[in-house]
Amino acid sequence: VRAAEALGKTKSGAEAAVPVLIAAVGDPSWRGYSSAVESALASIGRPAVAGLVELLTDASKRNRALWALQGMRAEGADAAPAC
C-alpha cells in the first residue's frame, strides 16, 4: 500500500508501475488496498488513462477504474470520448 501511494506522489519512474497497478484494479487479492491503487493511478495521471479506459468494459472493474479517472480530473476527462 505504501509503495503504491509513494509511486503516485513521486511521479519519477511511476510510469513503469502502471501495468502492475492496472492489473491490481479489481484483483481480489488487492481488495483491501484498492483505494491506494486508485489513488496512485490518479496521481500518475495521463500514462494510466489508456489502461483505465480499457477496464471500463469489464463490469467487475468499471467502478474502480472510474474512481481513478475521476481522481485525475482534467486528465480523466480527456478519456471520456474514448469510452
Side-chain angles (χ1 to χ4, degrees):
V1 173
R2 290 188 180 127
E5 291 170 343
L7 279 170
K9 290 178 184 175
T10 62
K11 305 263 188 189
S12 175
E15 258 183 72
V18 168
V20 173
L21 292 169
I22 292 291
V25 173
D27 182 331
S29 63
W30 281 82
R31 194 170 309 253
Y33 309 107
S34 59
S35 293
V37 170
E38 294 157 21
S39 294
L41 288 165
S43 295
I44 291 168
R46 188 169 304 280
V49 170
L52 288 166
V53 169
E54 286 182 32
L55 295 180
L56 296 176
T57 61
D58 184 332
S60 68
K61 299 176 182 181
R62 184 176 301 132
N63 285 341
R64 296 294 177 195
L66 286 170
W67 279 109
L69 288 166
Q70 180 182 10
M72 290 181 197
R73 291 185 175 66
E75 293 200 40
D78 290 344
C83 299

